Structure formats: C-alpha cells, structure tokens
Amino acid sequence: YEAKLQNSGYQLFNSDIIDTFNRKLDLENELRWAIARNQMFLHYQPQVNAESCRMEGMEALVRWNHPTLGQVPPGEFIPIAEESGIIMDIGKWVLKEVCVQLSRWLADSFDVPSIAVNLSARQFMAPDLVSSIRDIVRGTSCSPQQIVIEITESSSMNDIESVLPILHEFKSLGFQIAIDDFGKGYSALGYMKQFPIDILKIDKSFVQELISDSKSVVITKTIIDMAHGLNLKVIAEGVETTDQLDCLRKMACDIVQGYLIDPPMSPDRLESRYWIGV
Ligand code: C2E
Ligand code: MG
Ligand code: MG
Ligand code: MG
C-alpha cells in the first residue's frame, strides 16, 4: 500500500513539474509576440499624499492580456521575461508608453506630477540602459524630472558596484529614483548614503502587518524616521484598510498607495477619477 502511495505521489509530483515547465515554455514563446500583437497595456495606480489625499504621482504597472491564456499576472511573466531577456523590449515599450500617456495628459492640462516605472535588475545589465531611456524620453515632450525609476532593494543591493554608477547617471540626467520593496531584502544600510535616492517605498508586507504585529510597527516607524533623516520621501505600498492608513499617518508617512485609495486602473478610469476639468 505504501509503495503504491509513494508511486502515485511520485507520478503526481512529476506531472506537476512537467505542467509547470510546459506552461513556462508556452508563456515564453507567447511573450515574444506580446508587444507586436498589442497584448500588453499599462495600468496606473495613484500615489496620494497621506494627509490631503492629493495625487502626488502614479506607478505604471504592465498588464498582459493573452487571447487564450487570459490575463497573465506580472508576478508570473516578469520573471520569465527577465530570464529570457524579453524584459529589455518590454522595459522600452513600457517607458515609451508612459511618456506618450504623460505627454497626452499634460497637453490636456491633467497635471500629473510624475509617473513611476519599474526596472528589473536584468535591465541594469544592458550597457545602453541609460542612453536608451534618455533617448525615449527626449523623443517625447516629457522631461526626466517627471519620471521616477523604481528599482527593488534586492536588485540594487545585489550588484552595488555596477548599479551605483548607473543610478548616478540617471540622477544627473534629472530622473527621480525610488527604492521599491524596501525592508524585504537584506538592507545594507551603509550603502544608503551612497545611493542617489529620492523615495523609499516600504514593502507591503510591513504595511499589511501594521495592525496585527507590533514589530512591524517598530520597523515601519524606523524606516520612515531614517528616510526623513536622509531627506527622502516615503511611500507605503499595499495600504488596504483605514486602520493601516491611520497608523501610517501617525508615523508621518508622506505618501500612500494601495487598494484603499485605488487599485491600478486604465488611463481612462484614472482620468475620470482624478482629472478636474479646466
Ligand atoms: P511592485 O512594483 O512592488 O508593484 C506593486 C504591486 O502591488 C502591484 O502588483 C500592485 O498591483 C500591487 N498592489 C497595489 N496595491 C495593493 C494593495 O493594496 N494590496 C496588495 N496586496 N497589492 C497591491 P502587480 O501589478 O501584480 O505587479 C507585481 C510586480 O511586477 C511589481 O511589484 C513589479 O515588481 C513587477 N512589475 C509590474 N510592472 C512592471 C514593469 O513594467 N516592469 C518591470 N520590470 N516589472 C514590473
Ligand atoms: Mg514598483
Ligand atoms: Mg523630452
Ligand atoms: Mg513594491
């Protein structure tokens, strides 16, 4: 009986691996065509002042709508795009799209302070990253000051020697820089003083435990105080409840982003919620 159980367990395990493997191969093949076939689009999530709720900026988040696979979440396809190198093309497409959207909004007098774009660690390995991003922005009526580059704490700390000079180049061109998912990786605090950062984004795992876990309160408070001491703005991500918002306000968190305020949404919907006509 035991042998039989083990045997079936093994087969189950085995076919699971094959399914996962096939799904990954399918996604990778399909991903190569996704931009050309117009399957990619962007959603934007507002980032608002914690006190006044005025919009301070927004984050662009890529979406993939495949005709048969359906909506594939970024958590699933971004890692595949990174491994296969397709992230290079996706990254350029995202930035171009953001600049076109921002130019359109500004032309319509929809006063969007800035839009944040996520960059993967893999993109930092391309020798032409800075020049290609600079050229994309130059080709539009946007300026680098209106673009925030988000890089995760783990990818920035991973290879500090090569990432640091690139961040300085971005900074000298006028781009803003945000460290994403802060607190989730191994924070090498000593490097904080070398990094030309404008914004720290507290990882949503801390925000979501604010009410249930007193240690998360201490950690979040410490991150906010440190950031303010370094003259950085703090964004709390993943804010889902008013209790969390109240708690963040008490800690003097500058900006909040999360489902409580608004989920990521289409440009049309965002306009209808935030644009005050002139
Ligand atoms: P991220 O940059 O940390 O983005 C925040 C994620 O949290 C987004 O997930 C957003 O939809 C989600 N979120 C927002 N508010 C809440 C909330 O209140 N509660 C919860 N539980 N989640 C919330 P999404 O859109 O699925 O993206 C996942 C990750 O994929 C992003 O994490 C980012 O690392 C990556 N990603 C998304 N778009 C791009 C892109 O254009 N380029 C690159 N390289 N990565 C991207
Ligand atoms: Mg982000
Ligand atoms: Mg320009
Ligand atoms: Mg994040």
Side-chain angles (χ1 to χ4, degrees), residues 157-197:
M157 301 292 172
N158 206 0
D159 186 7
I160 293 168
E161 267 98 280
S162 45
V163 169
L164 191 59
I166 300 174
L167 292 183
H168 279 291
E169 277 182 70
F170 276 128
K171 198 65 209 150
S172 64
L173 287 168
F175 290 95
Q176 299 182 61
I177 295 168
I179 299 292
D180 203 354
D181 301 348
F182 188 81
K184 200 178 164 191
Y186 302 96
S187 315
L189 293 182
Y191 287 99
M192 291 289 301
K193 60 178 183 192
Q194 295 180 48
F195 272 61
I197 314 166

Side-chain angles (χ1 to χ4, degrees), residues 110-175:
F110 178 26
D111 192 17
V112 177
S114 61
I115 301 186
V117 173
N118 292 284
L119 291 192
S120 294
R122 175 78 191 252
Q123 290 174 266
F124 279 79
M125 286 156 69
D128 69 339
L129 175 71
V130 177
S131 60
S132 74
I133 287 190
R134 181 199 59 203
D135 293 346
I136 291 171
V137 176
R138 276 191 185 157
T140 70
S141 57
C142 303
S143 69
Q145 283 75 13
Q146 294 162 314
I147 305 292
V148 179
I149 287 171
E150 285 195 8
I151 172 172
T152 63
E153 182 193 23
S154 46
S155 45
S156 60
M157 301 292 172
N158 206 0
D159 186 7
I160 293 168
E161 267 98 280
S162 45
V163 169
L164 191 59
I166 300 174
L167 292 183
H168 279 291
E169 277 182 70
F170 276 128
K171 198 65 209 150
S172 64
L173 287 168
F175 290 95

